[in-house]
Amino acid sequence: MKKILTGTIIDSKFPNKSTVVGENFELKIKGGIKGQVVEIKKAGHRKGKLINVLKSAPIETENNCEHLEVCGGCTYQRFSYENEIEYKRELLNKLYRDEGFDFDIEMVASPVYKDYRNKMEYTFSDEYKDGPLALGLHMKNRFYEVVNTTDCNIVSQDFNTIRAFTRDYFDGVLKPYHKMRHVGNLRHLLIRKSILGEILVNLVTTSEEFDYTTYFEELLKLELDGKIVGIIHTKNDALSDAIVPEVVEVYYGRDYLNEEVLGLKFKVGLYSFFQTNTKSAEVLYSLARDMLGNMGDKVLLDLYCGTGTITQIMGQGTKEALGIEIVEEAVEAARENAKLNGMTNIKFIADDVLNAVKDLEYVPDVIVLDPPREGINPKAIDKIIDFSPEKFLYISCNPVTQARDLKKFVERGYEIVQIKALDQFPRTSHVETVALLSKLDVDKHIDVEIKLDELDLTSAESKATYAQIKEYILEKFNLKVSTLYIAQIKRKCGIELREHYNKSKKDKQVIPQCTPEKEEAIMDALRHFKMI
């Protein structure tokens, strides 16, 4: 048995990592709050595993939840909300400073920090091996054990009522699905509730035969503040712990909610992505809209658009807007939502962003990015920046990957004009950040003396860079041209290029040829810069 060590957390990093120092050791752990005295087990040369908190941090002055000792759902239930905001702000500033950025982030509070979640995924398990049925959230640092979250304070009472009824109904009747032995029926309970009070209930089980009709009928008899508009039964035999919609049957009503955000109407499907804090989402989108300013007559491109919420909110009044999202169900919902709101200037494409941006003939003035937690695909980020819009608006649910990606934008000639954080997920370690990036004015920001003989360029090449040629063509002809096309036309005009410039290392590579329209534009640029 590994020895249990006692130490003090001397430092914490966003989102939820800490450094513990004790007698003759310093270890990194997941979880913990600066100032806590903790028990840990060594889990590697420099890593440990948090076992127990012996003494709370000085900032932990409250006790807001009966489940806080065991539930893994929240992190800051011992904080006052004011202290939570300040603590998160400090962690964020440290994160961005460590990545080389020098700015002080404004942390905006959520308008609600109780009863705010509009979606919960509960897991079935047992309270102990072969014990009573449990339905709730996973225990801290545990893979199997689940907490019966009888009075969770980040969801409305309707969630607690439906969860408790479901747990009591099946206790002693069916077994929870065991993730290692692959036996049992009950897997998950998913609940969604809109700001309008509409509720969806989705019971997730294995495909093993059982008549759930009585359970569904009794659900409809519950006294709730909201109203159940859909009861769905999902059958899932996948080995993973995720909800996989292999078979989806609507027992009652429909499989979507009606929702409203900033005066716009949205249909939110059972498995569609939608911000989990609707009231705070309105603050988030208002912040983003204010950052971008007047979008009249602008062309907008929204990448990772989900069900098109941002596309529509930001796309109001634009010349045109295009949203791209890989989940086809989300794109269908986005198209339907656009029709619902009478927006004829907005279109959507169902495709992976990495694939879609390769040959997309679109010239946006503004690009909005709201990628998943892993951030922008490293293979796609250069293609995205190549669109060279006036502005990027980068919305992120994971500042760690956002900070990584922002460095790439800065390297490519963009400056961070403004960045704000919103406490979109109160009581948890997560936040949402919004960064506005603007293209640098080359004349004002580049002040580097370079001797041309050090660059091995011909006099013709020295007159304009490829980037300047691209920008000239984009502004004058509203066309995007590649470096390869420019090189082809320069070679055609007898302008000497460096050896192997833009030549592929692959044998028998098929090289795309410049179109007549783009050739004419490039020729115009070469004449403009007096290169021919």
Side-chain angles (χ1 to χ4, degrees), residues 87 109 123 190 247 354 362 374 378 414:
Y87 189 76
T123 300
L190 187 156
V247 178
L354 172 60
Y362 201 72
E374 58 266 27
Y414 283 83

Side-chain angles (χ1 to χ4, degrees), residues 66-299:
E66 64 180 79
H67 308 295
L68 62 84
E69 299 292 347
V70 290
C71 181
C74 292
T75 308
Y76 302 124
Q77 286 284 3
R78 289 191 185 276
F79 284 27
S80 69
Y81 191 53
E82 293 75 14
N83 284 343
E84 179 180 348
I85 292 296
E86 180 57 26
Y87 189 76
K88 286 181 175 179
R89 191 186 73 83
E90 290 176 3
L91 292 183
L92 280 176
N93 277 322
K94 187 175 187 301
L95 166 68
Y96 286 100
R97 281 198 301 270
D98 289 346
E99 292 293 336
F101 296 108
D102 184 22
F103 42 65
D104 188 24
I105 293 180
E106 176 187 350
M107 186 79 198
V108 180
S110 170
V112 287
Y113 61 90
K114 292 182 179 179
D115 310 339
Y116 71 84
R117 284 192 65 98
N118 56 35
K119 176 187 174 185
M120 288 293 281
E121 293 180 6
Y122 298 110
T123 300
F124 286 97
S125 185
D126 40 28
E127 293 184 11
Y128 49 86
K129 187 177 180 181
D130 298 323
L133 186 66
L135 176 59
L137 302 180
H138 283 280
M139 288 186 180
K140 288 180 180 178
N141 305 312
R142 300 294 180 91
F143 184 67
Y144 294 110
E145 291 87 343
V146 165
V147 182
N148 277 313
T149 48
T150 57
D151 192 26
C152 178
N153 63 27
I154 64 172
V155 298
S156 79
Q157 191 56 41
D158 285 346
F159 283 74
N160 292 326
T161 300
I162 294 169
R163 186 216 64 83
F165 167 75
T166 302
R167 182 262 166 209
D168 293 345
Y169 183 90
F170 289 114
D171 186 31
V173 178
L174 290 177
K175 291 288 186 181
Y177 177 76
H178 193 282
K179 287 178 283 189
M180 296 301 290
R181 298 199 300 264
H182 309 302
V183 295
N185 299 69
L186 304 169
R187 303 195 66 152
H188 298 91
L189 178 70
L190 187 156
I191 306 173
R192 299 193 86 138
K193 183 178 181 181
S194 76
I195 204 168
L196 302 174
E198 296 187 349
I199 300 171
L200 290 181
V201 181
N202 179 29
L203 180 69
V204 184
T205 72
T206 62
S207 61
E208 188 173 334
E209 286 299 319
F210 183 83
D211 187 358
Y212 295 93
T213 304
T214 304
Y215 163 71
F216 295 145
E217 290 174 347
E218 293 299 315
L219 269 179
L220 292 170
K221 298 176 183 178
L222 293 177
E223 292 187 12
L224 304 169
D225 292 330
K227 179 182 179 182
I228 295 177
V229 297
I231 297 176
I232 299 96
H233 183 198
T234 296
K235 297 177 183 179
N236 169 22
D237 291 321
L239 298 181
S240 72
D241 192 35
I243 298 178
V244 181
E246 292 179 339
V247 178
V248 180
E249 299 173 347
V250 178
Y251 169 79
Y252 166 82
R254 44 184 158 86
D255 61 353
Y256 68 88
L257 296 174
N258 290 304
E259 188 61 284
E260 285 191 7
V261 179
L262 295 176
L264 295 179
K265 298 177 181 179
F266 297 93
K267 287 184 178 179
V268 182
L270 180 64
Y271 293 110
S272 298
F273 169 78
F274 197 81
Q275 290 285 353
T276 56
N277 184 345
T278 308
K279 291 184 179 178
S280 185
E282 291 193 317
V283 177
L284 172 69
Y285 299 142
S286 295
L287 283 175
R289 196 165 58 182
D290 291 345
M291 281 185 178
L292 286 176
N294 183 12
M295 290 287 287
D297 209 34
K298 300 287 186 183
V299 176

